[in-house]
Short mmCIF file of all heavy atoms in Angstrom, two decimals:
data_model
loop_
_atom_site.label_atom_id
_atom_site.label_comp_id
_atom_site.label_asym_id
_atom_site.label_seq_id
_atom_site.Cartn_x
_atom_site.Cartn_y
_atom_site.Cartn_z
N ALA A 5 78.34 150.52 88.49
CA ALA A 5 78.00 151.68 89.43
C ALA A 5 76.74 151.48 90.20
O ALA A 5 76.62 151.78 91.37
CB ALA A 5 78.00 153.03 88.72
N SER A 7 75.42 148.54 91.05
CA SER A 7 75.55 147.53 92.10
C SER A 7 76.31 148.09 93.32
O SER A 7 75.98 147.77 94.44
CB SER A 7 76.29 146.31 91.52
OG SER A 7 77.63 146.60 91.18
N PHE A 58 76.32 153.65 135.01
CA PHE A 58 76.50 152.88 133.77
C PHE A 58 75.96 153.63 132.54
O PHE A 58 76.65 153.72 131.52
CB PHE A 58 75.85 151.50 133.89
CG PHE A 58 76.66 150.57 134.78
CD1 PHE A 58 75.99 149.70 135.65
CD2 PHE A 58 78.03 150.46 134.76
CE1 PHE A 58 76.66 148.77 136.43
CE2 PHE A 58 78.76 149.56 135.48
CZ PHE A 58 78.05 148.73 136.35
N ALA A 69 82.63 159.63 121.21
CA ALA A 69 83.18 158.87 119.94
C ALA A 69 82.63 159.46 118.70
O ALA A 69 83.31 159.54 117.76
CB ALA A 69 82.77 157.41 120.16
N SER A 84 94.28 157.33 96.78
CA SER A 84 95.53 158.11 96.93
C SER A 84 96.58 157.29 97.73
O SER A 84 96.15 156.60 98.65
CB SER A 84 95.29 159.44 97.55
OG SER A 84 96.47 160.10 97.85
N TYR A 93 90.70 154.52 103.92
CA TYR A 93 89.52 155.17 103.33
C TYR A 93 88.24 154.40 103.75
O TYR A 93 88.29 153.20 103.56
CB TYR A 93 89.62 155.39 101.82
CG TYR A 93 88.45 156.11 101.31
CD1 TYR A 93 88.49 157.51 101.28
CD2 TYR A 93 87.40 155.48 100.73
CE1 TYR A 93 87.41 158.22 100.80
CE2 TYR A 93 86.29 156.17 100.19
CZ TYR A 93 86.32 157.56 100.21
OH TYR A 93 85.22 158.21 99.64
N GLN A 120 89.13 155.94 119.46
CA GLN A 120 89.17 154.54 119.85
C GLN A 120 89.21 154.35 121.37
O GLN A 120 88.62 153.42 121.92
CB GLN A 120 90.51 153.81 119.34
CG GLN A 120 90.54 152.38 119.60
CD GLN A 120 91.74 151.72 119.04
OE1 GLN A 120 92.73 152.42 118.62
NE2 GLN A 120 91.83 150.38 118.98
N GLN A 147 61.24 136.47 141.10
CA GLN A 147 60.46 136.96 142.21
C GLN A 147 59.00 137.16 141.81
O GLN A 147 58.08 136.79 142.56
CB GLN A 147 61.09 138.25 142.70
CG GLN A 147 60.24 138.95 143.78
CD GLN A 147 60.81 140.26 144.16
OE1 GLN A 147 61.89 140.65 143.85
NE2 GLN A 147 60.00 141.13 144.82
N SER A 155 69.56 125.88 136.29
CA SER A 155 70.79 125.46 135.64
C SER A 155 71.10 126.36 134.41
O SER A 155 70.20 127.06 133.90
CB SER A 155 70.68 124.04 135.15
OG SER A 155 69.79 123.91 134.09
N THR A 176 51.94 136.50 130.54
CA THR A 176 51.41 137.83 130.33
C THR A 176 52.35 138.70 129.36
O THR A 176 53.49 138.27 129.20
CB THR A 176 51.40 138.59 131.72
OG1 THR A 176 52.76 138.70 132.19
CG2 THR A 176 50.46 137.96 132.61
N SER A 188 68.04 140.24 124.96
CA SER A 188 68.66 141.30 124.17
C SER A 188 69.77 141.96 124.93
O SER A 188 70.86 142.20 124.29
CB SER A 188 67.63 142.30 123.71
OG SER A 188 66.62 141.71 122.96
N HIS A 214 92.84 146.11 111.25
CA HIS A 214 93.43 145.83 109.90
C HIS A 214 94.83 145.34 110.02
O HIS A 214 95.13 144.36 109.37
CB HIS A 214 93.28 147.14 109.12
CG HIS A 214 93.94 147.01 107.75
ND1 HIS A 214 93.17 146.30 106.67
CD2 HIS A 214 95.12 147.38 107.22
CE1 HIS A 214 94.02 146.34 105.61
NE2 HIS A 214 95.13 146.95 105.99
N GLY A 224 109.46 148.40 118.81
CA GLY A 224 110.11 149.21 119.70
C GLY A 224 109.26 149.73 120.86
O GLY A 224 109.75 150.49 121.63
N ALA A 227 103.76 146.88 125.73
CA ALA A 227 102.30 146.88 125.90
C ALA A 227 101.80 148.13 126.63
O ALA A 227 100.86 148.73 126.24
CB ALA A 227 101.89 145.67 126.64
N LYS A 237 97.49 159.63 128.57
CA LYS A 237 98.22 159.63 129.87
C LYS A 237 97.27 159.55 131.11
O LYS A 237 97.62 158.95 132.06
CB LYS A 237 98.97 161.02 129.94
CG LYS A 237 99.75 161.28 131.26
CD LYS A 237 100.37 162.65 131.28
CE LYS A 237 101.04 162.98 132.54
NZ LYS A 237 101.56 164.30 132.58
N LEU A 252 93.71 167.98 128.35
CA LEU A 252 94.65 168.05 129.45
C LEU A 252 96.01 167.63 128.98
O LEU A 252 97.00 168.21 129.45
CB LEU A 252 94.14 167.15 130.60
CG LEU A 252 92.78 167.45 131.25
CD1 LEU A 252 92.43 166.55 132.39
CD2 LEU A 252 92.83 168.93 131.77
N GLU A 253 96.14 166.62 128.16
CA GLU A 253 97.45 166.21 127.67
C GLU A 253 98.09 167.20 126.84
O GLU A 253 99.27 167.56 126.90
CB GLU A 253 97.31 164.87 126.91
CG GLU A 253 96.84 163.72 127.76
CD GLU A 253 96.62 162.45 126.93
OE1 GLU A 253 97.24 162.31 125.92
OE2 GLU A 253 95.79 161.62 127.30
N GLU A 261 106.70 172.64 127.11
CA GLU A 261 107.40 173.44 126.12
C GLU A 261 107.68 174.80 126.66
O GLU A 261 108.76 175.36 126.40
CB GLU A 261 106.45 173.55 124.81
CG GLU A 261 106.34 172.28 124.11
CD GLU A 261 107.63 171.73 123.52
OE1 GLU A 261 108.49 172.58 123.18
OE2 GLU A 261 107.84 170.55 123.43
N SER A 266 111.64 178.72 128.82
CA SER A 266 112.04 179.54 129.96
C SER A 266 113.45 179.15 130.35
O SER A 266 114.25 180.06 130.68
CB SER A 266 111.13 179.30 131.09
OG SER A 266 109.77 179.80 130.78
N ALA A 270 116.77 181.56 130.34
CA ALA A 270 117.52 181.76 131.55
C ALA A 270 119.01 181.42 131.37
O ALA A 270 119.90 182.18 131.86
CB ALA A 270 117.02 180.83 132.73
#
Side-chain angles (χ1 to χ4, degrees):
S7 64
F58 285 138
S84 175
Y93 183 83
Q120 188 179 10
Q147 175 187 343
S155 69
T176 62
S188 299
H214 176 77
K237 177 182 176 181
L252 296 180
E253 294 177 29
E261 291 297 327
S266 299

